[in-house]
Amino acid sequence: MKSTVEIRWHGRGGQGAKTAALLLADVAFETGKYVQGFPEYGPERMGAPITAYNRISDEVIRIHSNIYDPDYVVVVDETLLTAVDVTKGLNPEGAIVVNTSKSPDEIRGELKGYKGKVYTVDARRISVAALGKYFPNTPMLAAIVKVCGVMDEKRFIDEMKKSFEHKFASKPEVIEGNMKALRMTLAEVR
């Protein structure tokens, strides 16, 4: 793995792409990495396309800009495949991870000729099964960790549990549901 991994997130306002990028930065930081996690702000509103970014490195990160040539792209809402050029600048040596019930081969035709690796995960099914509601950000967070290998999966699970225990101290059912969603996703990314 190169020393800095760059990830671009595409989602819609309210789906948690920004939160997932910030959580990934927090967890990677806890594993000793240098990190950046930030959204690109504009006139976002609920349901509007949004973009968020991560840089994760073993070395100090000196660049402070949006990510134009990411190693990985996470698409939290598959309707964005036709609304936004999600593969723009995407490194063909990297990968794209799409929230869909479709297989990677079925999605490839919607990716404007992208030749790199394509992964899919049904974050809707997983989040409804684990949390009882549709919150795609937790499954997509686990999916990108699995695909890019930026940290050990067990360490990721341990650090996410600590984060959820802190954030949802008075809601053990939320902690349990999110942990289940993470584990299910790690097992089901295709």
Side-chain angles (χ1 to χ4, degrees):
M1 184 172 81
K2 70 179 194 172
S3 86
T4 301
V5 173
E6 295 184 321
I7 302 167
R8 187 174 64 216
W9 295 76
H10 292 279
R12 292 192 180 276
Q15 292 180 323
K18 176 186 110 173
T19 300
L22 297 176
L23 273 171
L24 179 55
D26 288 346
V27 171
F29 178 78
E30 291 299 327
T31 69
K33 303 281 188 187
Y34 293 93
V35 299
Q36 292 178 351
F38 56 98
E40 178 179 358
Y41 282 111
E44 287 82 12
R45 63 191 182 289
M46 188 72 93
I50 67 106
T51 309
Y53 305 94
N54 285 110
R55 283 191 182 92
I56 302 169
S57 182
D58 294 323
E59 301 169 3
V60 174
I61 301 169
R62 302 203 183 277
I63 187 168
H64 297 281
S65 69
N66 290 348
I67 296 171
Y68 302 102
D69 299 308
D71 301 298
Y72 300 92
V73 166
V74 181
V75 181
V76 181
D77 186 320
E78 81 175 293
T79 65
L80 291 171
L81 296 177
T82 56
V84 176
D85 186 0
V86 298
T87 60
K88 184 176 184 180
L90 178 56
N91 184 340
E93 300 299 312
I96 186 168
V97 184
V98 181
N99 171 14
T100 181
S101 60
K102 297 175 185 172
S103 72
D105 286 339
E106 290 173 298
I107 285 295
R108 186 173 293 283
E110 300 179 45
L111 299 179
K112 300 184 182 191
Y114 177 67
K115 302 291 186 213
K117 294 178 185 166
V118 178
Y119 294 86
T120 61
V121 65
D122 191 345
R124 176 179 297 279
R125 186 188 56 72
I126 290 169
S127 67
V128 169
L131 297 160
K133 291 184 180 179
Y134 181 45
F135 296 111
N137 60 336
T138 298
M140 296 310 291
L141 176 58
I144 192 58
V145 167
K146 172 96 176 180
V147 168
C148 74
V150 75
M151 69 185 78
D152 174 75
E153 288 178 27
K154 182 179 180 337
R155 181 80 189 268
F156 167 69
I157 289 292
D158 292 344
E159 293 299 333
M160 286 304 299
K161 185 169 186 186
K162 289 179 197 172
S163 177
F164 288 145
E165 285 172 344
H166 175 74
K167 188 173 185 177
F168 302 113
S170 64
K171 299 178 181 178
E173 69 283 357
V174 174
I175 298 166
E176 184 179 315
N178 276 289
M179 294 309 298
K180 182 177 179 181
L182 292 173
R183 289 187 188 97
M184 287 175 69
T185 302
L186 290 172
E188 295 182 27
V189 173
R190 339 178 242 173

